[in-house]
């Protein structure tokens, strides 16, 4: 399949009338796959009301069929087509954080393709903020099911070139709207229980959720590696470069020692670091990948997947990574790094 690439300026006026977006929307309506930018990462979209279209997502990504997809909508009225009902807590969260990087799990309506929910009675709903994503959904006039537009197991794409690396020849087209903003995926919360529960940390922080709802719970599987995650996708290995990743806690000295020891044994070594610390590894590591600055962890979130993907352009034996405080956006960063380092109950790939 020839994969078309359209460049679209997210700041342009009247995006719904943009020729590229109209063409991409026509592909969605025809049951084909389109990759598009969101404010979190690039998504791989299909018509969420068509089982045949959604099946193609699983094929293109090599995604396990038990891992449900998030449905993206562009206005509140579309939620009624996708949700059987909207719990009160979900409504509060939608008002506070939509459009934005928050996915609410709600009871699913019958119209939603069975392949979207992977047989569950609930569905994940999100209204993205990115103007290209919103224009595509409006122009297609159907809710769009979309996971991240990477091959299963790989770091999520934050630039169109990442999507191209993984998906060229597998999908109808890529809307290139420049780099994604937040850099890590949406926060996934279950709103069908008494207490709203974080299933996946992401772009909206726990602190932000608690400011709206009071106390929120966490899926025990986020801490306890033996527990079964409530979000099926969280049980899989994910975000992994080809070389093994090892997280080094402690501090800069510990990381430096780990790199030095590996070099002494003759290994080719990558290091995932920050602007503050990169210089330390100059004559030590073979490949240095800078995610962002420790002074502002939002920049680390933004640059994390690009920094991880860069390692695959080299032939490395091992990658060592800095660690970050698991607070605010740091919770999502550490969740992704732990997964990249291969901590999962099972050897399958997302
Ligand atoms: P991705 O599409 O790669 O951003 O991942 C979406 C995440 O949301 C995965 O971990 C899914 O398992 C999870 N998810 C989607 N729908 C549901 C649902 N109905 N119930 C629980 N988790 C879900
Ligand atoms: Mg993903």
């Amino acid at each position: 399949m020839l994969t078309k690439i359209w460049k679209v300026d997210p700041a342009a006026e009247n995006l719904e009338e943009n020729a590229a977006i109209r063409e991409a929307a026509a592909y969605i309506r025809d049951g084909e796959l389109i990759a598009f930018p969101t404010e979190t990462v690039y998504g791989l979209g299909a018509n969420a009301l068509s089982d045949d279209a959604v099946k193609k997502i699983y094929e293109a990504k090599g995604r396990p069929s038990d891992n449900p997809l998030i449905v993206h909508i562009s206005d509140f009225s579309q939620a009624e087509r996708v949700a059987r009902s909207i719990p009160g807590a979900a409504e509060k969260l939608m008002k506070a954080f939509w459009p934005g990087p928050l996915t609410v799990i709600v009871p699913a309506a019958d119209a939603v393709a069975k392949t979207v929910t992977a047989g569950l009675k609930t569905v994940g709903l999100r209204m993205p903020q990115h103007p290209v994503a919103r224009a595509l959904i409006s122009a297609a006039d159907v809710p769009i099911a979309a996971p991240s537009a990477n091959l299963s197991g790989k770091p999520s794409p934050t630039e169109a070139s990442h999507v191209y690396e993984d998906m060229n020849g597998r999908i109808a087209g890529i809307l290139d709207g420049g780099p994604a903003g937040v850099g890590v995926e949406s926060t996934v919360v279950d709103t069908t229980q008494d207490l709203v529960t974080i299933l996946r940390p992401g772009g909206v922080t726990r602190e932000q959720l608690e400011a709206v709802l009071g106390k929120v719970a966490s899926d025990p599987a986020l801490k306890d590696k033996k527990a079964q995650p409530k979000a099926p996708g969280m049980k899989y290995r994910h975000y992994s470069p080809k070389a093994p990743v090892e997280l080094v806690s402690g501090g800069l000295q510990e990381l430096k020692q780990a790199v030095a020891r590996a070099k002494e044994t003759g290994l080719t070594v990558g290091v995932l670091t920050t602007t503050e610390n990169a210089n330390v590894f100059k004559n030590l590591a073979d490949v240095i990948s800078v995610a962002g600055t420790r002074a502002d962890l939002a920049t680390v979130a933004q640059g994390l997947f690009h920094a991880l993907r860069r390692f695959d352009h080299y032939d490395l034996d091992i990658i060592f990574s800095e660690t970050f405080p698991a607070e605010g956006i740091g919770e999502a960063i550490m969740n992704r790094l732990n997964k990249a380092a291969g901590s999962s109950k099972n050897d399958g790939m997302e």
Side-chain angles (χ1 to χ4, degrees), residues 45-90:
N47 177 356
L49 307 179
S50 160
D51 258 316
D52 287 340
V54 172
K55 262 188 209 138
K56 293 181 186 170
I57 292 180
Y58 289 87
E59 282 162 18
K61 285 188 56 122
R63 182 173 172 110
S65 59
D66 72 345
N67 188 6
L69 306 176
I70 293 168
V71 176
H72 295 71
I73 58 177
S74 59
D75 68 70
F76 284 90
S77 66
Q78 278 175 322
E80 283 149 34
R81 267 165 101 180
V82 182
R84 179 183 296 278
S85 60
I86 309 272

Side-chain angles (χ1 to χ4, degrees), residues 252-253 256 273 276-285 288:
L252 187 57
Q253 283 317 311
K256 206 175 151 189
T273 182
E276 287 86 344
N277 297 336
N279 256 337
V280 169
F281 300 100
K282 223 174 184 177
N283 298 311
L284 197 55
I288 300 168

